C-alpha cells in the first residue's frame, strides 16, 4: 500500500467501512467495476445509485448483486417487465415499499393482478393508487413511515470524532442504509480527490502482481438458498472429529439434501457438505475433482459419495474434498528475516438487558514482541493473545511469503485458490462457485513459480462442463400441474348440496373429502401439539409460504391445524385431481420446509 494512504485513520483502522462507504456513494466507472468485481463488496454496491441500471447491466452481474438491497435502490425504475425478467430473485412485496419516494415502482392494475397473492404495499401519498384496489387485489395502503434507507438523525451526531464515532457505530456501518452521506463526504471523498478511485483500489487490492481468491460454493441462486448436503442416518458421531485428519480412502459417504434450502431440488458442481467436525470439507463433482487434480494441491483426500435425491436423476459422481485446515501456514516461510507479525481482533460489548447504554466496539492491532517460528507457534501465540482480552482474533504477517508453491491453500477454514485455478473453475463451471479477493492476506509465492501457470496454459483446458440432470416423471408431472393451476384454476361444478364446508370449498376451489368432514365435525381428529382451526380460518398454500416452491405436489394444499411453534397440518390434492383433497394428514415443518405423513 502507498505509505501516504496509511496515514489516513479511516484506511489504517477501518478499511472495511472506508470501502463500504466508497461503494455506496462514489461514482465507479464500469471498467473499474469490471476490473475489481471480485474485490468489491456487493451489498453496498447494490445500494449505489450512480450506476446506469437497466436489465442488461443487472443481468451481467446477476450472481454478484444483493437483490434485497437492489429493491431499495432509488435509482432503479422498476416495472412489471423488469420484475418478470429477474424473477424469482425479486421479492415483489419488498419492492413495493419502494414506491414511496421517487416512485421507483410503477404500480399498475396489471402488476397487482399478477402478484395479488404477495399482498403488495402502497403509500397514501401515491396519487396513482385507486382505493378499490385494496379490496380487489389485497393491496395494503399505508401511511408513509421511515424505512432503512433514511438513517436516524443520531447517525450524524459525533461524526467528527472518528474513533469515538466508530466505537458505537462500527457494527451498524455494515448495513448500507446506515452509512450517512456526511460520513463519505468527511472521510472518504477527500482521499478520492487526492489519489483517484483507481489508485485507491490498486493500493487496497493489488499488493503485488499475484492474485488469490477465496473459493466457496454458491449459497444463493435464482431460487434462493442452494441445498447443502448432510449424511443420512442417525449416527451422531462424526468421522471428522478424530485427531487423525484423514480417513481411509475407501470410506463411502451417503448424503441427502439438508433442511436449509429454498426452491426446487437442484445440484451444482460445487456444494456445501454439512458434517460436524473441525475439518475443511467441500462436495465436488467428478469433473471438478479431475480439474483440481491438474493443479498443485496440498495434502488432501477425495472420498466417494452416494447422493440421495428426491426428484432428480443424474449419473454424475460426487466426492467429498477433505483438506487440512492450516496448509497456508504450513507453506509459510518462517525463516524470512523481513516478516513482521501483528495481532488483530475485534470485540462487541453488549449492554445488559434493559440498559440505556449503547453497543460498543473495541479493536486491537499491535505487533508481537516474539517471532513465531512454526505453525504450532502461530496457534499457541494466538491462543495466548486471545485469552488476554477474551476475544477471537488472529495473528497475521505483513504478507504471506510462501516457500511451498501451490494453487490451493487453506487459511482459517477458508479455501484460497490462485488466479489460474479460479479462472479455470469460473469458466469451466460457470455460476457453480463464488469467488472473492484474498488480497488482504498479501499472499506471494516465487514469481517464477507463480508464472509457470500461464494464462494460455489454463485457457487450453476451458471446456464447458454441464451437469446432465433429469426430473423424475412424477416431479415433472407435479411441476406442470402447479404451473397450469397458477395460470388458470377454473371453478369446479358443485353437485352436492350445501354444508359447513361449502363456503371454504368455494373460497379455495377445492373439495373436502367426506371422511375428513365427518372426522372434523365429530372432533375425532386429534394430533398432539396441534389445534384444529375453525373452518373459516382454514388457509391455502399457493407458494406464499414457500413449501410449494420446493415441493410442487403441495400446491393448493389446505391448512387445517397449527401448532404454537409455527408448524401446520395440511390436506393435499389428490394426484389426478385439481380440486379433490386427500383425507391423509401431513405435518409441515416451518423451520425446514419439509413435510411428512402423519401416521
Amino acid at each position: 500500500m502507498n505509505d501516504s494512504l496509511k496515514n489516513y485513520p479511516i484506511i489504517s483502522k477501518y478499511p472495511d467501512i472506508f470501502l463500504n462507504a466508497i461503494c455506496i456513494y462514489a461514482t465507479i466507472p464500469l471498467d473499474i467495476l469490471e476490473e475489481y468485481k471480485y474485490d468489491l463488496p456487493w451489498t453496498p454496491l447494490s445500494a449505489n445509485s450512480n450506476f446506469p441500471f437497466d436489465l442488461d447491466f443487472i443481468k451481467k452481474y446477476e450472481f454478484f448483486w444483493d437483490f434485497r438491497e437492489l429493491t431499495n435502490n432509488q435509482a432503479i425504475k422498476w416495472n412489471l417487465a423488469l420484475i418478470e425478467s429477474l424473477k424469482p430473485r425479486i421479492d415483489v412485496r419488498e419492492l413495493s415499499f419502494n414506491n414511496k419516494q421517487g416512485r421507483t415502482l410503477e404500480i399498475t392494475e396489471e402488476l397487482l393482478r399478477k402478484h395479488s397473492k404477495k399482498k403488495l404495499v402502497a403509500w397514501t401519498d401515491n396519487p396513482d393508487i385507486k382505493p378499490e384496489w385494496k379490496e380487489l387485489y389485497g393491496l395494503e395502503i399505508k401511511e408513509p413511515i421511515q424505512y432503512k434507507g433514511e438513517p436516524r438523525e443520531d447517525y450524524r451526531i459525533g461524526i467528527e470524532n472518528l474513533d469515538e464515532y466508530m466505537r458505537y457505530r462500527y457494527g451498524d456501518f455494515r448495513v448500507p442504509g446506515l452509512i450517512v452521506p456526511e460520513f463519505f463526504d468527511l472521510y472518504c471523498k477527500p482521499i478520492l480527490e487526492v489519489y483517484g478511485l483507481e489508485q485507491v483500489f490498486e493500493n487496497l487490492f493489488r499488493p503485488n502482481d499475484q492474485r488469490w481468491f477465496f473459493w466457496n460454493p454458491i449459497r444463493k441462486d435464482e431460487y434462493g438458498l442452494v441445498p447443502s448436503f448432510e449424511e443420512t442416518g442417525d449416527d451422531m458421531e462424526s468421522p471428522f472429529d478424530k485427531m487423525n485428519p484423514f480417513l481411509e480412502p475407501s470410506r463411502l459417504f451417503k448424503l441427502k439434501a439438508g433442511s436449509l434450502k429454498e426452491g426446487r431440488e437442484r445440484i451444482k458442481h460445487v456444494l456445501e457438505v454439512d458434517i460436524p467436525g473441525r475439518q475443511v470439507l467441500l462436495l465436488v463433482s467428478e469433473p471438478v475433482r479431475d480439474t483440481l487434480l491438474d493443479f498443485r494441491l496440498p495434502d488432501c483426500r477425495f472420498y466417494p459419495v452416494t447422493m440421495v435425491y428426491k426428484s432428480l436423476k443424474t449419473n454424475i459422481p460426487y466426492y467429498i474434498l477433505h483438506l487440512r485446515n492450516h496448509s497456508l501456514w504450513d507453506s509459510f516461510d518462517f525463516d524470512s528475516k523481513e516478516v513482521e507479525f501483528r495481532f488483530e481482533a475485534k470485540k462487541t460489548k453488549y449492554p445488559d438487558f434493559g440498559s440505556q447504554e449503547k453497543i460498543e466496539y473495541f479493536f486491537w492491532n499491535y505487533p508481537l514482541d516474539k517471532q513465531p517460528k512454526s505453525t504450532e507457534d502461530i496457534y499457541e501465540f494466538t491462543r495466548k493473545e486471545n485469552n488476554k482480552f477474551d476475544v477471537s482474533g488472529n495473528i497475521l504477517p505483513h504478507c504471506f511469503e510462501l516457500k511451498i508453491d501451490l494453487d490451493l491453500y487453506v487459511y482459517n477454514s477458508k479455501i484460497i485458490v490462485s488466479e489460474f485455478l479460479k479462472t479455470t473453475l469460473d469458466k469451466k463451471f460457470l455460476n457453480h462457485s463464488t469467488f472473492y479477493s484474498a488480497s488482504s492476506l498479501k499472499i506471494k509465492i516465487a514469481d517464477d513459480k507463480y508464472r509457470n501457470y500461464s494464462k494460455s496454459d489454463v485457457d487450453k483446458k476451458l471446456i464447458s462442463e454441464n451437469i446432465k440432470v433429469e426430473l423424475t416423471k412424477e416431479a415433472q408431472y407435479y411441476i406442470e400441474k402447479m404451473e397450469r393451476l397458477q395460470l388458470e384454476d377454473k371453478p369446479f361444478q358443485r353437485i352436492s348440496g350445501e354444508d359447513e364446508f361449502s363456503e371454504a370449498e368455494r373460497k379455495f376451489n377445492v373439495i373436502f373429502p367426506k371422511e375428513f368432514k365427518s372426522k372434523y365435525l365429530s372432533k375425532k381428529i386429534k394430533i398432539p401439539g396441534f389445534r384444529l382451526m375453525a373452518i373459516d380460518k382454514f388457509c391455502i398454500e399457493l407458494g406464499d409460504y414457500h413449501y410449494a416452491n420446493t415441493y410442487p405436489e403441495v400446491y393448493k394444499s389446505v391448512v387445517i391445524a397449527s401448532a404454537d411453534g409455527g408448524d401446520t397440518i395440511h390436506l393435499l390434492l389428490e394426484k389426478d385431481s385439481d380440486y379433490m383433497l386427500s383425507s391423509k394428514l401431513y405435518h409441515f415443518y416451518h423451520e425446514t420446509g419439509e413435510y411428512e405423513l402423519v401416521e
Side-chain angles (χ1 to χ4, degrees), residues 30-69:
L30 297 188
D31 59 334
I32 293 180
L33 177 69
E34 178 66 21
E35 169 69 20
Y36 293 96
K37 63 184 177 182
Y38 292 105
D39 303 283
L40 298 172
W42 279 82
T43 293
L45 279 174
S46 302
N48 190 317
S49 61
N50 297 313
F51 289 124
F53 285 107
D54 58 24
L55 179 59
D56 290 341
F57 179 66
I58 295 173
K59 293 288 281 186
K60 180 176 181 178
Y61 298 105
E62 183 175 1
F63 288 88
F64 293 84
W65 297 117
D66 180 332
F67 276 86
R68 182 180 178 85
E69 203 61 52

Side-chain angles (χ1 to χ4, degrees), residues 118-153:
K118 301 294 184 182
K119 296 182 175 58
L120 304 190
V121 174
W123 306 98
T124 54
D125 64 348
N126 188 336
D128 299 327
I129 301 302
K130 297 179 180 179
E132 60 266 28
W133 288 354
K134 182 176 181 179
E135 185 68 28
L136 283 173
Y137 306 112
L139 180 67
E140 294 183 40
I141 302 177
K142 295 176 175 288
E143 291 291 334
I145 57 174
Q146 186 181 65
Y147 78 118
K148 75 173 187 177
E150 298 170 339
R152 299 188 304 272
E153 185 60 34

Side-chain angles (χ1 to χ4, degrees), residues 419-470:
E419 181 179 13
F420 306 117
L421 177 50
K422 175 257 174 193
T423 301
T424 303
L425 293 170
D426 205 17
K427 290 190 176 180
K428 198 170 183 181
F429 310 101
L430 182 63
N431 298 330
H432 287 256
S433 298
T434 58
F435 301 92
Y436 66 97
S437 174
S439 59
S440 61
L441 296 178
K442 300 181 178 64
I443 298 171
K444 185 174 178 61
I445 63 176
D447 285 338
D448 59 332
K449 298 293 184 182
Y450 183 82
R451 290 170 180 153
N452 279 345
Y453 276 73
S454 66
K455 197 171 190 302
S456 60
D457 290 335
V458 175
D459 286 342
K460 293 174 184 176
K461 305 172 187 176
L462 298 183
I463 304 169
S464 177
E465 297 282 359
N466 295 318
I467 301 178
K468 295 181 180 178
V469 176
E470 294 180 14

Side-chain angles (χ1 to χ4, degrees), residues 132-195:
E132 60 266 28
W133 288 354
K134 182 176 181 179
E135 185 68 28
L136 283 173
Y137 306 112
L139 180 67
E140 294 183 40
I141 302 177
K142 295 176 175 288
E143 291 291 334
I145 57 174
Q146 186 181 65
Y147 78 118
K148 75 173 187 177
E150 298 170 339
R152 299 188 304 272
E153 185 60 34
D154 62 354
Y155 278 83
R156 298 172 175 88
I157 298 173
I159 198 170
E160 295 82 7
N161 188 329
L162 179 62
D163 288 331
E164 189 67 14
Y165 190 70
M166 297 310 297
R167 182 178 174 187
Y168 296 108
R169 295 298 180 211
Y170 178 81
D172 297 333
F173 271 24
R174 297 187 177 279
V175 179
L178 299 181
I179 299 182
V180 292
E182 291 87 342
F183 183 88
F184 172 77
D185 291 340
L186 185 60
Y187 293 110
C188 307
K189 193 174 181 179
I191 299 174
L192 297 182
E193 289 173 347
V194 173
Y195 295 96

Side-chain angles (χ1 to χ4, degrees), residues 215 269-270 284-293 302 425 429:
W215 176 34
H269 275 291
V270 182
V284 299
S285 67
E286 188 171 73
V288 172
R289 182 204 65 169
D290 294 344
T291 298
L292 291 173
L293 291 174
F302 292 92
L425 293 170
F429 310 101

Side-chain angles (χ1 to χ4, degrees), residues 264-524:
R264 62 188 59 180
E265 187 176 17
R266 59 209 187 275
I267 55 173
K268 303 284 186 182
H269 275 291
V270 182
L271 294 158
E272 287 188 345
V273 56
D274 186 14
I275 299 178
R278 291 166 290 182
Q279 309 294 327
V280 180
L281 308 173
L282 198 63
L283 187 59
V284 299
S285 67
E286 188 171 73
V288 172
R289 182 204 65 169
D290 294 344
T291 298
L292 291 173
L293 291 174
D294 283 339
F295 288 81
R296 302 169 294 182
L297 304 179
D299 195 9
C300 61
R301 300 290 186 276
F302 292 92
Y303 309 120
V305 167
T306 297
M307 302 285 277
V308 179
Y309 306 112
K310 287 189 175 181
S311 59
L312 299 180
K313 292 190 297 183
T314 180
N315 294 324
I316 189 168
Y318 276 81
Y319 296 84
I320 290 177
L321 168 59
H322 182 188
L323 295 154
R324 293 168 61 89
N325 194 22
H326 41 71
S327 59
L328 187 66
W329 280 120
D330 287 345
S331 304
F332 186 77
D333 185 5
F334 286 97
D335 296 327
S336 173
K337 296 180 180 179
E338 297 180 359
V339 67
E340 300 173 359
F341 290 90
R342 302 183 68 82
F343 177 73
E344 296 182 1
K346 300 169 185 175
K347 184 177 182 178
T348 305
K349 180 185 176 183
Y350 294 96
D352 295 335
F353 182 75
S355 170
Q356 297 300 311
E357 295 180 4
K358 296 180 180 179
I359 298 175
E360 294 185 72
Y361 302 92
F362 298 91
F363 308 86
W364 289 266
N365 188 329
Y366 57 82
L368 294 185
D369 54 9
K370 188 178 179 182
Q371 190 89 344
K373 294 297 182 183
S374 66
T375 301
E376 290 72 21
D377 280 354
I378 291 292
Y379 285 97
E380 178 62 21
F381 289 11
T382 302
R383 184 186 63 79
K384 288 181 178 179
E385 298 302 313
N386 282 334
N387 287 342
K388 284 183 188 177
F389 308 105
D390 189 23
V391 295
S392 180
N394 294 300
I395 288 176
L396 286 167
H398 72 282
C399 70
F400 273 94
E401 290 196 13
L402 307 181
K403 61 182 179 181
I404 299 177
D405 309 319
L406 302 173
D407 288 292
L408 185 152
Y409 300 96
V410 179
Y411 171 75
N412 277 4
S413 300
K414 297 177 181 178
I415 300 174
I416 299 170
V417 297
S418 68
E419 181 179 13
F420 306 117
L421 177 50
K422 175 257 174 193
T423 301
T424 303
L425 293 170
D426 205 17
K427 290 190 176 180
K428 198 170 183 181
F429 310 101
L430 182 63
N431 298 330
H432 287 256
S433 298
T434 58
F435 301 92
Y436 66 97
S437 174
S439 59
S440 61
L441 296 178
K442 300 181 178 64
I443 298 171
K444 185 174 178 61
I445 63 176
D447 285 338
D448 59 332
K449 298 293 184 182
Y450 183 82
R451 290 170 180 153
N452 279 345
Y453 276 73
S454 66
K455 197 171 190 302
S456 60
D457 290 335
V458 175
D459 286 342
K460 293 174 184 176
K461 305 172 187 176
L462 298 183
I463 304 169
S464 177
E465 297 282 359
N466 295 318
I467 301 178
K468 295 181 180 178
V469 176
E470 294 180 14
L471 289 170
T472 62
K473 289 183 178 180
E474 184 175 40
Q476 187 62 45
Y477 170 84
Y478 281 118
I479 289 174
E480 292 173 357
K481 179 180 179 180
M482 179 177 72
E483 291 175 347
R484 173 170 50 79
L485 290 173
Q486 287 174 330
L487 287 174
E488 185 177 22
D489 187 8
K490 295 180 180 179
F492 68 90
Q493 297 298 315
R494 178 173 292 281
I495 299 176
S496 59
E498 296 289 303
D499 61 21
E500 292 89 336
F501 292 86
S502 297
E503 187 174 342
E505 288 180 332
R506 281 191 288 270
K507 179 181 179 181
F508 301 134
N509 202 25
V510 298
I511 303 172
F512 289 93
K514 291 182 179 179
E515 181 184 351
F516 168 76
K517 290 181 179 181
S518 174
K519 288 183 178 180
Y520 180 92
L521 295 173
S522 61
K523 299 183 178 179
K524 291 182 178 178

